[in-house]
Amino acid sequence: MRNVLIVISGPSGVGKGTLVKLLLEEDPTLALSVSCTTRPPRKGERNGRDYYFIEKEEFLSRIRENDFLEYDEHFGNYYGTPRSFVERQLKEKSVVLEIDVVGALNAKRIMPQAVLVMIAPPSDEALEKRLARRGSESEEEREERLRRMRYELEQQKYYDYVVVNDDLQEAKRRLQEIINREKKKT
């Protein structure tokens, strides 16, 4: 079996992080991609586990060297997926990368063998309820997330697979099935 790069995307609140955590806990043949950032670590974050915390000059240098599958800038800080890290990990294990739609499409452009999986909600209404239950955003922030959700879900036509997260265990089973199928391809 071959090692594969699995890129998981989906709207905020759809359960991507929970699914990725479950996959990693149950499948020792998977590794999580660790991104780089120029922001300082938050309390409890560790270099190499949560992010690789690097200086802005190093990040910009790595951009020039094409060492990112994707990168973006938010509020003056850069975030990106280091290509060199992913390539090293792929020699040993399959790699799971959880990123937004724009980043996923960039990663696929650079590494066409990447397998894109969109995690989708059962309905817009179900996601609205999930976001409201979280209670972590204002009404305006929730509305912005819902607008973003519609855009992201429109991009699923560029994905290799779409998994509807209507039942967490079933969605995890479908994701594992996709990963196993892709590992068997030659």
Side-chain angles (χ1 to χ4, degrees), residues 35-41 47 51-65 67-68 71-73 76-80:
S35 296
C36 293
T37 185
T38 59
R39 75 161 172 75
N47 190 48
Y51 284 98
Y52 289 106
F53 297 97
I54 62 176
E55 296 297 320
K56 184 176 180 180
E57 295 75 30
E58 180 183 347
F59 199 102
L60 295 174
S61 173
R62 290 172 78 169
I63 289 172
R64 288 189 296 275
E65 295 166 3
D67 187 37
F68 288 107
Y71 67 90
D72 204 356
E73 188 246 339
N77 292 305
Y78 286 89
Y79 298 82

Side-chain angles (χ1 to χ4, degrees), residues 31 35 39 46 54 59 74 76 78 91 95 100 125 154 159 165 175 177 179:
S35 296
R39 75 161 172 75
R46 286 198 343 240
I54 62 176
F59 199 102
H74 298 282
Y78 286 89
K91 290 177 183 172
V95 177
D100 71 10
E125 296 78 26
E154 288 171 4
Y159 278 64
N165 187 9
L175 261 176
E177 191 176 89
I179 293 167

Side-chain angles (χ1 to χ4, degrees), residues 154-168:
E154 288 171 4
Q155 307 311 304
Q156 64 184 273
K157 61 187 172 220
Y158 301 113
Y159 278 64
D160 301 299
Y161 300 94
V162 176
V163 173
V164 176
N165 187 9
D166 50 351
D167 174 87
L168 189 63

Side-chain angles (χ1 to χ4, degrees), residues 2-6 85-95 111 113:
R2 69 187 183 118
N3 291 327
V4 293
L5 173 59
I6 304 293
F85 174 84
V86 170
E87 289 173 343
R88 274 194 316 275
Q89 287 293 103
L90 282 170
K91 290 177 183 172
E92 304 294 323
K93 294 181 171 196
S94 290
V95 177
M111 292 184 84
Q113 73 273 28

Side-chain angles (χ1 to χ4, degrees), residues 92-122:
E92 304 294 323
K93 294 181 171 196
S94 290
V95 177
V96 176
L97 174 57
E98 181 190 335
I99 54 176
D100 71 10
V101 169
V102 173
L105 296 175
N106 281 332
K108 181 80 167 183
R109 184 179 49 78
I110 292 170
M111 292 184 84
Q113 73 273 28
V115 178
L116 302 186
V117 182
M118 170 74 69
I119 307 299

Side-chain angles (χ1 to χ4, degrees), residues 12-24:
S12 178
V14 79
K16 300 177 301 289
T18 302
L19 285 166
V20 167
K21 184 175 182 243
L22 290 171
L23 283 173
L24 292 168

